[in-house]
Amino acid sequence: MKWHGTRRPAGALLALAAASCLLAGGCGAGSDGNSKASDASYDRGGDGSVPLPAPDRGSGGRYDGGRDEDEQDSREVAPDPDHLSTFALDVDTASYDYARRTLAEGRLPDPSAVRPEEFVNSFRQDYERPGGDGFTVTVDGARTGEEDWSLVRVGLATRAAEPDGERPPAALTFVVDISGSMAEPGRLDLAQDSLATMTDRLRDDDSVAIVTFSDEAETVLPMTRLDGDRDEVHDAIDSLEPTDSTNLGAGVETGYETAVEGLREGATNRVVLVSDALANTGDTDADAILERIAESRREHGITLFGVGVGSDYGDALMERLADKGDGHTVYVSDEEDAREVFCEQLPRHIELTARDAKAQVAFDPETVAEFRLVGYDNRRVADEDFRDDRVDGGEVGPGHTVTALYAVRTLPHSRLRSSGGTPIGAEGHLATATVRWLDPDSRTPHEETGDLEADGLVDSVWSARRGLTVTATAAYFADALRAYGHRHSALPGAPGLGELSERAGDLADRTEDEDVRELAKAIRAASRLDRPLPID
């Protein structure tokens, strides 16, 4: 992961004057009744030491969006004088669920398929929620066992999901993989059972279309209103049978064509891709596949929801498709997972409350020596693009939370303790987090902020509030799974898998949370499979 060192300003007054000039010309159009004032008018008391996200930074961040994904690996370590971190929001969870299945089968997941942000975002959080559309911003943190190192959590939350009867109608185009690999138990059969149950639970004013693909793609059912036609939808689902190779590109393209033909004004139009993503014919590159349907995505705002299945699963391709398709991914391994995704999550989260959402965190160079964002490797955004609304962000619906975790090394305070002469820990402002998003209908930009003082850091991640401790546990777990083949762990204060397993078990007992219990079970499985690491 890339480490960033903060540069301490030579003159606070000069820095304040320069920042004021920049911020005064910033974009203030994002403010409304649900948002705080934009950065230009956000006042922390006049001491001038707070590094707020800047509207225009000239040379800006160092992230090069044109580099290959491998070159953006978060284990890259390099000095960096910047105090800003910018990323597109992501609510994917497929990486964590696929890792759990792999471990349950007695195998360690491929380190390249482990995305820490998807582990972290797989757990419910108790962040305060806004009264209307938009986000709340929660920033907290806790110290680790390593001197001066802390974990800082940025939590974003949307409003609670409305009761099903109050959401907009949905127009869902299901693109279902019926290639030969989908014949394996727990793939196509699981998808069919789930689709059938979901069809019975959707409302009469919802619509469904079904596209299948193997070596070619076919529209099995055009967009059909469920009122009076549920039997026709069930017949189409029952007719699905596995056949030949996997032309995923043809399936996605035909799916979008079908979605555009059945487009419903005032409804949420979405393509739902159900596949093991093991493309072996036609276009097999996410960028090439989505370039052909780019106009449909931009003009009609049709988002892509990826549902991964199968013990062999093309995780990287599905995740890339969802990111480029303005959507997100989940993974289902059994009937319980599938019913939760198709029958609970999808109908409940059909609506969007934010488009192109990005977050920017500014660390105070007076208190922070260096920092690193955990994960979000291919969701990084150049710092100067934070307020460029042409730059793609993430799409988020009601009932969601998004969590980002940072490893932060604070500067020791110059003042010494009276006893022992050791430096006091950092004092003062630590970080300000800002989220920016577009209204899904009007495309009007909005912003909200939150911040953290150094004295707000809890003494230990293991004695912090439940949500922060769960976040740290999930991040440490992902970090350990990614560490195979590397000399060191990237996260400060990381316990070994054995100790982490014990802590996760204690946390599960204390919280009586079934999701945390599943996390503890996965960590135990990994600790049993643990082996000496090869040195690269």
Side-chain angles (χ1 to χ4, degrees):
M1 295 186 180
K2 192 167 186 177
W3 293 95
H4 302 263
T6 59
R7 178 191 298 151
R8 302 189 73 175
L13 290 177
L14 181 61
L16 173 60
S20 299
C21 291
L22 282 173
L23 293 172
C27 175
S31 297
D32 67 0
N34 295 325
S35 302
K36 287 183 181 177
S38 64
D39 295 337
S41 60
Y42 187 58
D43 182 7
R44 290 198 39 76
D47 64 2
S49 65
V50 181
L52 295 175
D56 183 3
R57 297 183 51 258
S59 59
R62 287 97 6 250
Y63 176 76
D64 179 2
R67 292 186 297 168
D68 292 335
E69 186 173 330
D70 290 344
E71 295 176 335
Q72 297 164 8
D73 181 78
S74 64
R75 290 185 172 274
E76 178 184 341
V77 177
D80 194 318
D82 199 2
H83 58 251
L84 294 178
S85 170
T86 310
F87 60 95
L89 268 55
D90 190 353
V91 295
D92 293 352
T93 60
S95 176
Y96 172 68
D97 291 325
Y98 185 50
R100 284 199 304 125
R101 172 170 181 158
T102 303
L103 289 164
E105 293 175 345
R107 298 178 291 125
L108 287 167
D110 183 338
S112 66
V114 176
R115 290 185 290 278
E117 70 277 13
E118 298 188 21
F119 279 54
V120 165
N121 280 312
S122 293
F123 297 90
R124 295 185 301 274
Q125 299 288 354
D126 59 356
Y127 305 135
E128 180 183 354
R129 293 188 181 273
D133 286 349
F135 294 88
T136 55
V137 182
T138 301
V139 191
D140 60 6
R143 304 184 189 280
T144 71
E146 286 191 36
E147 185 177 3
D148 297 328
W149 282 101
S150 299
L151 296 181
V152 171
R153 180 179 64 156
V154 176
L156 310 173
T158 59
R159 61 172 169 80
E162 299 287 351
D164 189 56
E166 298 180 22
R167 65 165 172 81
L172 306 176
T173 301
F174 290 92
V175 180
V176 184
D177 186 346
I178 59 168
S179 61
S181 60
M182 291 291 288
E184 175 191 304
R187 297 194 186 195
L188 183 57
D189 58 341
L190 187 63
Q192 285 177 292
D193 288 344
S194 303
L195 286 172
T197 303
M198 187 201 66
T199 297
D200 290 333
R201 294 194 181 184
L202 287 173
R203 298 188 327 215
D204 286 346
D205 61 346
D206 293 329
S207 300
V208 169
I210 297 176
V211 171
T212 61
F213 67 94
S214 53
D215 54 342
E216 296 180 347
E218 176 187 3
T219 301
V220 175
L221 180 75
M223 193 63 70
T224 302
R225 192 77 65 102
L226 289 177
D227 185 15
D229 291 313
R230 292 182 195 268
D231 288 345
E232 184 178 354
V233 177
H234 280 293
D235 289 343
I237 294 169
D238 292 341
S239 71
L240 305 183
E241 294 181 354
T243 56
D244 301 312
S245 53
T246 310
N247 191 339
L248 191 148
V252 173
E253 185 173 12
T254 303
Y256 270 87
E257 290 174 355
T258 301
V260 171
E261 289 172 3
L263 194 75
R264 289 182 56 187
E265 294 297 330
T268 300
N269 296 273
R270 179 167 293 186
V271 169
V272 182
L273 174 62
V274 184
S275 176
D276 56 18
L278 300 176
N280 56 24
T281 189
D283 276 332
T284 59
D285 175 75
D287 290 338
I289 292 170
L290 289 170
E291 181 60 32
R292 298 206 306 270
I293 49 89
E295 183 177 349
S296 299
R297 291 189 295 119
R298 287 192 296 263
E299 181 179 349
H300 302 294
I302 300 172
T303 57
L304 180 66
F305 181 59
V307 181
V309 295
S311 56
D312 293 320
Y313 167 52
D315 170 80
L317 176 57
M318 183 70 90
E319 192 256 353
R320 185 75 171 158
L321 282 168
D323 282 351
K324 290 291 185 178
D326 298 330
H328 62 283
T329 63
V330 296
Y331 176 83
V332 299
S333 60
D334 54 31
E335 185 175 334
E336 182 179 351
D337 285 349
R339 290 184 184 276
E340 168 66 20
V341 167
F342 285 102
C343 304
E344 304 297 335
Q345 292 185 21
L346 187 55
R348 189 170 65 240
H349 296 155
I350 283 171
E351 184 184 2
L352 285 180
T353 57
R355 285 191 181 274
D356 289 323
K358 310 184 197 80
Q360 186 169 84
V361 184
F363 290 94
D364 195 323
E366 291 293 329
T367 54
V368 174
E370 56 182 320
F371 64 90
R372 177 181 45 77
L373 174 61
V374 180
Y376 290 91
D377 299 336
N378 58 0
R379 303 294 283 167
R380 309 291 174 96
V381 174
D383 295 333
E384 67 270 23
D385 288 338
F386 177 58
R387 290 188 174 89
D388 185 344
D389 296 325
R390 298 167 299 179
V391 175
D392 190 40
E395 276 58 44
V396 184
H400 277 121
T401 60
V402 180
T403 299
L405 192 68
Y406 287 86
V408 177
R409 183 169 69 85
T410 54
L411 291 162
H413 198 274
S414 58
R415 190 159 50 89
L416 300 181
R417 289 191 177 93
S418 57
S419 61
T422 56
I424 295 173
E427 293 181 344
H429 180 257
L430 196 71
T432 296
T434 303
V435 59
R436 181 180 178 87
W437 72 95
L438 303 182
D439 181 273
D441 299 319
S442 67
R443 301 291 176 134
T444 303
H446 304 280
E447 293 187 6
E448 184 62 80
T449 63
D451 56 351
L452 176 67
E453 301 296 310
D455 61 8
L457 293 170
V458 179
D459 287 340
S460 169
V461 295
W462 306 116
S463 60
R465 293 175 60 187
R466 170 207 170 275
L468 180 54
T469 303
V470 171
T471 296
T473 303
Y476 280 137
F477 182 35
D479 195 57
L481 294 177
R482 281 161 60 102
Y484 290 101
H486 293 269
R487 291 186 183 91
H488 62 280
S489 171
L491 274 183
L497 276 174
E499 180 186 345
L500 187 63
S501 176
E502 292 180 7
R503 290 191 178 275
D506 291 343
L507 184 61
D509 292 339
R510 188 166 73 248
T511 61
E512 298 183 344
D513 186 318
E514 190 58 35
D515 291 336
V516 177
R517 198 168 301 284
E518 287 296 323
L519 172 62
K521 180 179 177 181
I523 297 174
R524 282 198 303 274
S527 67
R528 289 195 295 268
L529 295 168
D530 195 14
R531 60 178 182 272
L533 303 182
I535 301 299
D536 58 4

